[in-house]
Amino acid sequence: LLDILSLLTAYSNAQCVDLETGIRKVLPKMLHWLRVMTHPDGQVSFFNDSAIGTAPSLSQLEEASKRLGIMASGEDESRLTHLRDSGYVKINVNEAALIGDVGKVGPDYIPGHAHADTLSFELSVFGQRVIVNTGTSVYGVDPERHRQRSTAAHSTVEINGENSSEVWGGFRVARRAFPVGLSISECQKTIEVTCGHTGYHRMRGRPTHWRTWRTFENGIVITDRIEGEFDSAVARFHLHPDVSLNEVFEANVILGVHGGVVCISSSTSCLLVEPSLYSPEFGRQIESKCIAINFNGQSEIETKITWSHKCPNP
């Protein structure tokens, strides 16, 4: 649209006035959406088929927009932003930015680029990505493409070893997760977002995964609850490869990030650090780590993430 607007500006035509007006109306909304979905490092978040380097960056698009007199709409740096139509929330709190998925996997009629990532999230602290989804490095129909689209490759909860949405082929989705019960509240000190999804209702017991993000000063508590019968469940928190694993205790992990430390603690002792792969670009994979917390028969677990410029006591 920026290219089309550039052409319309260079070669004015009375017949294209309505087209130019329409483009100028929608571009600020597009820039606002992209700003919300962008991390402090200036690159896009990894939900569904997302990768760095496949399109101009936010800063490049903003510079091109500015030359044409286009500015983003909305309050981009507010504490809480809910992108209702696409189903994402962004929380900015005390040097951290969280982007969470509380929407459908995509349009009902064309979910081809969708991943089984419902209720996943990404978190940056002190400007550095800490918790991530693992990205996209390949297309096609091979096992690696299927793995990258799986629930296990995202920072959310996997139940009974299955995907929350039935991704198959290279760009297919069968039975899929639908969000339910979305609730968002904000007060002076706390933001709370709660949402569930129906992706596992195809299983015996029809389990529903509920996730709540609740902020407090220099921290976020994530409560994962499963309603209904299930055999096994695991919450995964994939780590960006630039994060250092400083210490691991029974139910605590201390991470080193640029400018400070992040502590992840679980209400259960069933916490493991597993190998993972991070795919920031097409054709590129980097070894990384993943924190996996087993429900171990419990219906609810709580994960607390705190950050500071000093190392906290475990």
Side-chain angles (χ1 to χ4, degrees), residues 56-221:
S57 66
L58 172 62
S59 61
Q60 291 172 316
L61 292 172
E62 287 181 325
E63 181 61 31
S65 299
K66 192 180 299 183
R67 290 197 296 268
L68 293 166
I70 302 294
M71 302 295 288
S73 64
E75 296 293 332
D76 299 301
E77 297 304 322
S78 59
R79 292 175 69 229
L80 172 65
T81 305
H82 180 202
L83 300 172
R84 291 176 176 81
D85 292 332
S86 51
Y88 295 96
V89 292
K90 187 173 189 178
I91 299 171
N92 291 301
V93 55
N94 296 335
E95 299 186 275
L98 181 149
I99 307 173
D101 181 356
V102 294
K104 297 180 179 180
V105 299
D108 294 339
Y109 56 88
I110 185 167
H113 286 277
H115 290 201
D117 61 357
T118 306
L119 299 189
S120 67
F121 74 103
E122 297 200 320
L123 176 69
S124 283
V125 180
F126 305 136
Q128 179 183 349
R129 298 189 194 211
V130 177
I131 295 176
V132 295
N133 291 322
T134 60
T136 302
S137 67
V138 295
Y139 276 169
V141 294
D142 64 359
E144 181 57 22
R145 168 67 171 161
H146 186 73
R147 186 197 67 81
Q148 291 181 8
R149 298 178 74 198
S150 71
T151 298
H154 298 82
S155 293
T156 187
V157 170
E158 179 191 62
I159 298 178
N160 293 349
E162 297 287 341
N163 291 328
S164 57
S165 292
E166 290 183 311
V167 292
W168 64 283
F171 299 92
R172 302 286 185 173
V173 186
R175 292 172 292 184
R176 64 205 64 168
F178 288 94
V180 294
L182 175 63
S183 172
I184 301 175
S185 62
E186 180 180 7
C187 65
Q188 187 175 0
K189 293 184 177 181
T190 302
I191 296 171
E192 185 170 299
V193 178
T194 298
C195 190
H197 75 79
T198 64
Y200 295 112
H201 281 195
R202 66 184 186 270
M203 300 178 181
R204 177 181 56 83
R206 295 175 58 82
T208 301
H209 171 215
W210 291 90
R211 168 164 278 183
T212 296
W213 296 273
R214 178 170 53 84
T215 68
F216 60 95
E217 187 177 3
N218 295 328
I220 295 173
V221 174

